[in-house]
């Protein structure tokens, strides 16, 4: 089981209510830069908590969802 920091918990709480999140939305929720938000989202993806959806790293429509088992 993972321990989540405050910003990760804010992102996860948003996802439980909304189903998907973008880097832009995550940066607004945690009140930090897009770079920081992207790092948090990628970290949660590496922990297999989130799943990334998109065609490429430059895809303007990319987003993240909770991983389902």
């Amino acid at each position: 089981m993972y321990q989540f920091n405050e910003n990760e918990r804010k992102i996860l709480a948003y996802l439980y209510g909304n189903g998907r999140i973008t880097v832009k939305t995550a940066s607004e929720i945690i009140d930090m830069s897009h770079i920081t938000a992207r790092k948090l989202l990628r970290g949660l993806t590496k922990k297999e908590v989130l799943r990334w959806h998109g065609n490429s790293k430059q895809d303007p429509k990319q987003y993240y969802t909770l991983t389902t088992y």
Side-chain angles (χ1 to χ4, degrees):
M1 194 63 137
Y2 292 109
Q3 296 283 330
F4 299 110
N5 66 39
E6 181 181 349
N7 289 328
E8 290 171 330
R9 286 193 300 271
K10 288 179 183 179
I11 289 170
L12 292 172
Y14 178 88
L15 278 162
Y16 280 115
N18 296 282
R20 65 167 61 183
I21 194 167
T22 64
V23 172
K24 180 182 178 192
T25 302
S27 70
E28 292 169 357
I29 290 169
I30 63 173
D31 196 27
M32 294 189 174
S33 71
H34 285 76
I35 294 169
T36 301
R38 185 174 283 110
K39 286 179 183 178
L40 281 170
L41 292 169
R42 286 183 180 163
L44 289 168
T45 302
K46 286 183 182 178
K47 292 177 182 178
E48 297 183 354
V49 176
L50 300 184
R51 183 172 176 215
W52 176 80
H53 302 269
N55 294 320
S56 71
K57 291 183 179 183
Q58 289 76 33
D59 184 354
K61 295 182 181 183
Q62 61 183 297
Y63 61 93
Y64 295 82
T65 59
L66 291 167
T67 303
T68 56
Y69 291 98

